[in-house]
Amino acid sequence: MRSEKQVIEQLLGFAREEDRIRLVGMAGSRTNENVPADIYRDYDISFLVTEMKSFLQSDRWLDRFGPRLMMQKPEAMELFPSELGSWFSYLILFEDGVKLDLTLIPLKELSSYLHEDRLLRILLDKDGLVPSLPAASDQNHWIKRPNARCFDDCCNEFWMTATYVAKGLLRGELPFAAWHMEQIVRAQLYTMLCWMIGFQNGFAFSLGKHHKFIRRYLTGSQWELLCATYRLDSIENGGQALKAAFSLFREASKKTAAALGCPYPDYDAAVTRYIEKMCRWKEEEPLPGGWQEKGESL
C-alpha cells in the first residue's frame, strides 16, 4: 500500500499540472487529530475546478492515480438519488488497498465548500483564494447538550417505537421488528447514550462517525448490553435484544434526567406494562421461539 506522502504527492502532482484545478482540500479522518492513525483511513479529497463537463466526459484521467479495484460514482447512479447538487464524487478502491473519496466542486461554490466541514485542510491554493483557516477541528461533530424538551422527545420516540418491535416479534414478523429496532429504537438509544456520556465527560468531544468510539466511555456491563441489542437473528434473540435495549436506555435516560434536573417520564412504566399485557394475550398461542417466558420481567 502506498504511504500517505505518496498518495498526497500523486494527487497534488496531477492538480499542479492541470489548469482546470485551482484548489485542493482534504477533510475527514486524516485531518482529525483525535482519530487514531491506521492504514484503513480514507483520503477525502476535493478538487475545486473551473469547469466540470470535461472531467465527466471520461474516467480515463483517474487512471493517473493507480489501478482501480472498484469505483462508485454516486451522482451518476439511478437507484440512489444524488445528494451533492452540482458536486460530483468518485469513491475509489485501488488495488493496493488505498481508498480515495474524490469530489469535484465548481470553483464558484468555494464559499459553500469552506463552510462545509471544520476538519478541512487546504493542500493547494493556486490563486490564493482562501484566507488562513483555523486548525482542523471535529467541533461540528461534538455531542450536543440536550434540553428537557429534546430529552422527553427522545424518550417518547424510543418507548413508542418499542411497541412496534414487540408487536413484530409477537407476530413472528422478524423483518418488521428488526427494521423498527435498527432504524428507530437504536437511533434513540445511541442519542441517549451520547447525552449520558456528555454529562459525565463534558460535551467538547466527538464519539466518531456512527459512534465508533463509544466503547471507551461505557462500563463493561453497559457495553455487554449494547452488544446484546444486535442479536436479531431469531424471534427469541430479538426479544432478548429488546430487553437489553430497555435496560440500557433506562439506565442512560435516568442518569440524563438527573443531570438535566427534569423528571423521568412515565413512558417506561406504561410501555413495559403494555408489552407484558401483549405477551399475556399470546400465552394461549405460543409463538416461534417463545421470546417472552411467562412471568419474565422486561
Side-chain angles (χ1 to χ4, degrees), residues 1-12 24-31 37-47 65 89-94 96-103 113 121 123:
M1 181 184 290
R2 284 164 288 173
S3 68
E4 179 175 298
K5 181 179 179 181
Q6 290 173 316
V7 172
I8 297 300
E9 191 53 45
Q10 199 170 21
L11 292 165
L12 292 181
V24 179
M26 181 167 70
S29 60
R30 288 187 180 270
T31 64
D38 62 31
I39 62 173
Y40 306 112
R41 293 182 300 169
D42 297 349
Y43 292 86
D44 296 297
I45 302 293
S46 295
F47 287 168
F65 307 129
S89 61
Y90 303 85
L91 312 182
I92 308 171
L93 179 61
F94 293 96
D96 67 350
V98 167
K99 173 68 167 23
L100 171 65
D101 293 352
L102 177 62
T103 304
Y113 173 65
R121 181 188 303 162
L123 303 181

Side-chain angles (χ1 to χ4, degrees), residues 39-80:
I39 62 173
Y40 306 112
R41 293 182 300 169
D42 297 349
Y43 292 86
D44 296 297
I45 302 293
S46 295
F47 287 168
L48 278 88
V49 300
T50 54
E51 57 91 13
M52 303 272 287
K53 185 176 180 180
S54 59
F55 284 103
L56 303 181
Q57 287 176 341
S58 170
D59 296 333
R60 292 184 62 184
W61 62 277
L62 295 167
D63 296 343
R64 168 80 173 264
F65 307 129
R68 297 188 293 274
L69 181 68
M70 185 174 179
M71 181 168 70
Q72 187 177 73
K73 298 187 288 186
E75 287 66 54
M77 301 176 83
E78 185 171 338
L79 181 59
F80 310 105

